Amino acid sequence: MISRPIVRAPSPLAVIGQLGGHIKRGYRHPIGPRTKKPMALVSALPLSVDSDKMVLSFMDRSDPTASYDNQPHKGDNAVVIVPRADVHLSVISGVCPGDWKGVKVSFGTEIDEPEDLDTDPTGITIAASDRWVDLVDDLGCDCSKLGGYPLWTKKAIDVDLLMGRRQVFHHRLTADVVDFKLGDGGVVYIFVDEVGEAGALLWQQAR
């Protein structure tokens, strides 16, 4: 299973997407059902390497430290898939107070993730957990990345059940490129449905 670390783009020619910031044109930010304000752009990344489609993920945030819900099915977040050529991004702060300044990103060196990583870390023994953590550290895959395995921070979530249709893991975001201010060890997980029309976002904290 190949994953591709998401890193700051070293040059404009290397840019494949963006974390944070906002969309200038091509797609209107969804309105949060609770705040009635535009959601914050979390990420804009290709559906797959060299794809002509872009996966856009959003959170409903009203201030720098509050995300109303960390679950994918409550309506406080959104994932959509749109033609890449239609989307124009801005790296300045987003559409709501407290949104993150955008960072243009590219892919780092590919990582070949073994099946041993595809596990629920809360369901293994302490010794097995230590070996799992060591493997993650050795591979360097505990990072923002596209593809590979979710590497759950806490108990694995049945996203298919919550969303009512099969979901495929797309990318995960840690605080290594953009600090999403989700608390201790906050990690964002983005999935796309098997039809390739939409998806789901959720997040976990280490504690």
Side-chain angles (χ1 to χ4, degrees):
M1 178 74 75
I2 298 297
S3 65
R4 294 169 173 82
I6 298 167
V7 300
R8 287 177 177 268
S11 70
L13 293 178
V15 172
I16 54 90
Q18 180 173 305
L19 306 184
H22 71 276
I23 299 173
K24 292 194 293 187
R25 63 182 185 276
Y27 188 84
R28 182 169 294 184
H29 285 236
I31 302 299
R34 303 193 202 193
T35 62
K36 309 304 180 186
K37 296 179 180 178
M39 291 187 184
L41 177 67
V42 177
S43 59
L45 295 171
L47 180 60
S48 59
V49 177
D50 298 326
S51 174
D52 62 355
K53 293 184 178 180
M54 186 78 78
V55 178
L56 307 177
S57 68
F58 301 88
M59 282 186 189
D60 187 357
R61 285 164 45 89
S62 61
D63 62 63
T65 59
S67 289
Y68 280 94
D69 199 287
N70 63 351
Q71 296 299 310
H73 61 303
K74 297 291 188 178
D76 292 328
N77 46 58
V79 174
V80 296
I81 300 173
V82 299
R84 185 171 185 168
D86 292 352
V87 177
H88 299 268
L89 303 166
S90 174
V91 297
I92 65 172
S93 296
V95 296
C96 292
D99 287 358
W100 317 280
K101 184 176 180 180
V103 175
K104 297 292 187 182
V105 296
S106 61
F107 290 137
T109 303
E110 293 181 356
I111 300 171
D112 188 0
E113 299 187 6
E115 290 185 8
D116 291 350
L117 291 183
D118 188 23
T119 186
D120 178 355
T122 64
I124 54 181
T125 64
I126 292 177
S129 175
D130 289 343
R131 288 193 296 271
W132 185 83
V133 170
D134 288 343
L135 179 58
V136 168
D137 290 343
D138 290 343
L139 291 169
C141 57
D142 187 16
C143 60
S144 295
K145 63 175 188 172
L146 187 147
Y149 299 109
L151 303 186
W152 297 102
T153 298
K154 299 175 78 171
K155 184 176 176 63
I157 303 296
D158 190 340
V159 185
D160 293 1
L161 177 63
L162 295 177
M163 298 301 295
R165 64 165 60 181
R166 175 165 161 68
Q167 304 286 318
V168 178
F169 172 68
H170 189 260
H171 65 278
R172 79 192 290 265
L173 302 172
T174 68
D176 54 356
V177 181
V178 172
D179 183 3
F180 293 101
K181 301 186 184 300
L182 297 178
D184 183 27
V187 177
V188 181
Y189 303 89
I190 290 88
F191 291 77
V192 296
D193 63 37
E194 60 183 350
V195 181
E197 296 177 347
L201 178 151
L202 66 154
W203 56 269
Q204 294 182 327
Q205 293 174 306
R207 61 177 185 178

Short mmCIF file of all heavy atoms in Angstrom, two decimals, residues 96-124:
data_model
loop_
_atom_site.label_atom_id
_atom_site.label_comp_id
_atom_site.label_asym_id
_atom_site.label_seq_id
_atom_site.Cartn_x
_atom_site.Cartn_y
_atom_site.Cartn_z
N CYS A 96 -13.79 32.64 7.52
CA CYS A 96 -14.30 32.89 8.88
C CYS A 96 -13.14 33.26 9.80
O CYS A 96 -12.01 32.84 9.57
CB CYS A 96 -14.98 31.65 9.44
SG CYS A 96 -16.52 31.22 8.60
N PRO A 97 -13.41 34.07 10.83
CA PRO A 97 -12.35 34.37 11.81
C PRO A 97 -11.77 33.08 12.38
O PRO A 97 -12.50 32.18 12.76
CB PRO A 97 -13.09 35.18 12.88
CG PRO A 97 -14.26 35.77 12.18
CD PRO A 97 -14.68 34.73 11.17
N GLY A 98 -10.45 33.01 12.42
CA GLY A 98 -9.81 31.83 12.98
C GLY A 98 -9.45 30.78 11.96
O GLY A 98 -8.79 29.80 12.31
N ASP A 99 -9.85 30.92 10.71
CA ASP A 99 -9.45 29.95 9.70
C ASP A 99 -7.94 29.99 9.51
O ASP A 99 -7.29 30.99 9.77
CB ASP A 99 -10.14 30.26 8.36
CG ASP A 99 -11.62 29.91 8.38
OD1 ASP A 99 -12.09 29.41 9.42
OD2 ASP A 99 -12.30 30.17 7.38
N TRP A 100 -7.42 28.91 8.99
CA TRP A 100 -5.97 28.76 8.87
C TRP A 100 -5.47 29.41 7.58
O TRP A 100 -6.08 29.31 6.52
CB TRP A 100 -5.62 27.28 8.85
CG TRP A 100 -6.39 26.50 9.86
CD1 TRP A 100 -6.13 26.41 11.19
CD2 TRP A 100 -7.59 25.74 9.64
NE1 TRP A 100 -7.06 25.63 11.81
CE2 TRP A 100 -7.97 25.20 10.88
CE3 TRP A 100 -8.37 25.45 8.52
CZ2 TRP A 100 -9.09 24.39 11.04
CZ3 TRP A 100 -9.49 24.67 8.66
CH2 TRP A 100 -9.85 24.14 9.91
N LYS A 101 -4.30 30.03 7.66
CA LYS A 101 -3.65 30.51 6.45
C LYS A 101 -3.24 29.31 5.61
O LYS A 101 -2.77 28.31 6.12
CB LYS A 101 -2.43 31.36 6.80
CG LYS A 101 -1.77 31.97 5.57
CD LYS A 101 -0.61 32.88 5.95
CE LYS A 101 0.02 33.48 4.70
NZ LYS A 101 1.16 34.37 5.03
N GLY A 102 -3.42 29.42 4.31
CA GLY A 102 -3.17 28.29 3.43
C GLY A 102 -1.69 28.03 3.17
O GLY A 102 -0.86 28.94 3.24
N VAL A 103 -1.39 26.78 2.86
CA VAL A 103 -0.04 26.36 2.49
C VAL A 103 -0.13 25.53 1.22
O VAL A 103 -0.87 24.55 1.16
CB VAL A 103 0.60 25.52 3.62
CG1 VAL A 103 1.95 24.98 3.18
CG2 VAL A 103 0.73 26.32 4.90
N LYS A 104 0.63 25.92 0.19
CA LYS A 104 0.71 25.13 -1.02
C LYS A 104 1.55 23.89 -0.74
O LYS A 104 2.60 23.96 -0.10
CB LYS A 104 1.35 25.94 -2.15
CG LYS A 104 0.57 27.18 -2.56
CD LYS A 104 -0.74 26.84 -3.23
CE LYS A 104 -1.42 28.10 -3.78
NZ LYS A 104 -2.73 27.80 -4.41
N VAL A 105 1.09 22.73 -1.21
CA VAL A 105 1.76 21.48 -0.87
C VAL A 105 2.09 20.64 -2.10
O VAL A 105 1.54 20.84 -3.19
CB VAL A 105 0.89 20.65 0.10
CG1 VAL A 105 0.72 21.36 1.43
CG2 VAL A 105 -0.48 20.32 -0.51
N SER A 106 3.00 19.72 -1.89
CA SER A 106 3.37 18.74 -2.90
C SER A 106 3.56 17.39 -2.22
O SER A 106 3.38 17.26 -1.00
CB SER A 106 4.64 19.16 -3.65
OG SER A 106 5.72 19.26 -2.75
N PHE A 107 3.94 16.39 -2.99
CA PHE A 107 4.16 15.06 -2.42
C PHE A 107 5.63 14.85 -2.07
O PHE A 107 6.53 15.26 -2.81
CB PHE A 107 3.76 13.97 -3.43
CG PHE A 107 2.29 13.87 -3.68
CD1 PHE A 107 1.80 13.71 -4.96
CD2 PHE A 107 1.38 13.91 -2.63
CE1 PHE A 107 0.43 13.61 -5.19
CE2 PHE A 107 0.02 13.81 -2.85
CZ PHE A 107 -0.45 13.66 -4.14
N GLY A 108 5.87 14.20 -0.92
CA GLY A 108 7.21 13.78 -0.55
C GLY A 108 7.51 12.41 -1.14
O GLY A 108 6.79 11.91 -1.99
N THR A 109 8.57 11.80 -0.64
CA THR A 109 8.99 10.48 -1.12
C THR A 109 7.97 9.41 -0.74
O THR A 109 7.50 9.36 0.39
CB THR A 109 10.36 10.11 -0.52
OG1 THR A 109 11.30 11.13 -0.86
CG2 THR A 109 10.85 8.78 -1.07
N GLU A 110 7.62 8.55 -1.70
CA GLU A 110 6.63 7.51 -1.48
C GLU A 110 7.04 6.57 -0.34
O GLU A 110 8.22 6.31 -0.14
CB GLU A 110 6.42 6.70 -2.75
CG GLU A 110 5.79 7.47 -3.89
CD GLU A 110 5.58 6.60 -5.12
OE1 GLU A 110 6.01 5.41 -5.08
OE2 GLU A 110 5.02 7.09 -6.11
N ILE A 111 6.03 6.08 0.38
CA ILE A 111 6.24 5.11 1.46
C ILE A 111 5.44 3.85 1.13
O ILE A 111 4.25 3.92 0.82
CB ILE A 111 5.78 5.67 2.81
CG1 ILE A 111 6.56 6.94 3.17
CG2 ILE A 111 5.94 4.62 3.90
CD1 ILE A 111 6.01 7.65 4.39
N ASP A 112 6.09 2.70 1.18
CA ASP A 112 5.42 1.42 0.98
C ASP A 112 4.98 0.91 2.34
O ASP A 112 5.80 0.40 3.12
CB ASP A 112 6.36 0.43 0.29
CG ASP A 112 5.64 -0.85 -0.13
OD1 ASP A 112 4.42 -0.96 0.10
OD2 ASP A 112 6.30 -1.74 -0.70
N GLU A 113 3.69 1.05 2.65
CA GLU A 113 3.18 0.70 3.98
C GLU A 113 2.78 -0.78 4.03
O GLU A 113 1.94 -1.23 3.24
CB GLU A 113 1.98 1.57 4.34
CG GLU A 113 2.30 3.05 4.40
CD GLU A 113 1.15 3.88 4.94
OE1 GLU A 113 0.13 3.28 5.37
OE2 GLU A 113 1.26 5.12 4.92
N PRO A 114 3.36 -1.56 4.95
CA PRO A 114 3.01 -2.98 5.07
C PRO A 114 1.64 -3.16 5.71
O PRO A 114 1.13 -2.27 6.39
CB PRO A 114 4.11 -3.53 5.97
CG PRO A 114 4.51 -2.36 6.81
CD PRO A 114 4.38 -1.16 5.92
N GLU A 115 1.08 -4.35 5.53
CA GLU A 115 -0.24 -4.65 6.08
C GLU A 115 -0.25 -4.59 7.60
O GLU A 115 -1.30 -4.41 8.21
CB GLU A 115 -0.71 -6.04 5.63
CG GLU A 115 -1.07 -6.11 4.16
CD GLU A 115 -1.66 -7.46 3.78
OE1 GLU A 115 -1.91 -8.28 4.69
OE2 GLU A 115 -1.84 -7.71 2.58
N ASP A 116 0.92 -4.71 8.22
CA ASP A 116 1.00 -4.66 9.69
C ASP A 116 0.49 -3.33 10.24
O ASP A 116 0.14 -3.24 11.42
CB ASP A 116 2.45 -4.86 10.14
CG ASP A 116 2.94 -6.28 9.89
OD1 ASP A 116 2.11 -7.14 9.54
OD2 ASP A 116 4.15 -6.52 10.02
N LEU A 117 0.44 -2.30 9.41
CA LEU A 117 -0.03 -0.99 9.88
C LEU A 117 -1.55 -0.92 9.92
O LEU A 117 -2.11 -0.06 10.59
CB LEU A 117 0.49 0.12 8.96
CG LEU A 117 1.98 0.43 9.01
CD1 LEU A 117 2.28 1.62 8.10
CD2 LEU A 117 2.43 0.73 10.42
N ASP A 118 -2.22 -1.81 9.20
CA ASP A 118 -3.67 -1.75 9.09
C ASP A 118 -4.31 -2.43 10.29
O ASP A 118 -4.81 -3.55 10.20
CB ASP A 118 -4.12 -2.41 7.79
CG ASP A 118 -5.61 -2.20 7.52
OD1 ASP A 118 -6.18 -1.23 8.05
OD2 ASP A 118 -6.19 -3.01 6.78
N THR A 119 -4.29 -1.73 11.42
CA THR A 119 -4.80 -2.32 12.66
C THR A 119 -5.43 -1.24 13.52
O THR A 119 -5.19 -0.05 13.33
CB THR A 119 -3.65 -3.00 13.43
OG1 THR A 119 -4.18 -3.68 14.57
CG2 THR A 119 -2.61 -1.98 13.88
N ASP A 120 -6.26 -1.69 14.44
CA ASP A 120 -6.84 -0.79 15.44
C ASP A 120 -5.87 -0.74 16.61
O ASP A 120 -5.73 -1.73 17.34
CB ASP A 120 -8.20 -1.31 15.88
CG ASP A 120 -8.85 -0.46 16.97
OD1 ASP A 120 -8.19 0.50 17.45
OD2 ASP A 120 -9.99 -0.74 17.33
N PRO A 121 -5.15 0.37 16.82
CA PRO A 121 -4.13 0.42 17.86
C PRO A 121 -4.68 0.22 19.27
O PRO A 121 -3.93 -0.11 20.18
CB PRO A 121 -3.51 1.81 17.70
CG PRO A 121 -4.57 2.62 17.02
CD PRO A 121 -5.28 1.66 16.12
N THR A 122 -5.98 0.41 19.45
CA THR A 122 -6.56 0.23 20.79
C THR A 122 -6.88 -1.23 21.08
O THR A 122 -7.23 -1.56 22.21
CB THR A 122 -7.84 1.07 20.94
OG1 THR A 122 -8.85 0.57 20.03
CG2 THR A 122 -7.58 2.53 20.64
N GLY A 123 -6.77 -2.09 20.08
CA GLY A 123 -7.16 -3.48 20.27
C GLY A 123 -6.00 -4.44 20.34
O GLY A 123 -6.19 -5.66 20.22
N ILE A 124 -4.77 -3.94 20.51
CA ILE A 124 -3.61 -4.81 20.57
C ILE A 124 -2.91 -4.68 21.93
O ILE A 124 -3.15 -3.73 22.66
CB ILE A 124 -2.62 -4.51 19.43
CG1 ILE A 124 -2.22 -3.03 19.42
CG2 ILE A 124 -3.22 -4.88 18.09
CD1 ILE A 124 -1.26 -2.66 18.30
#
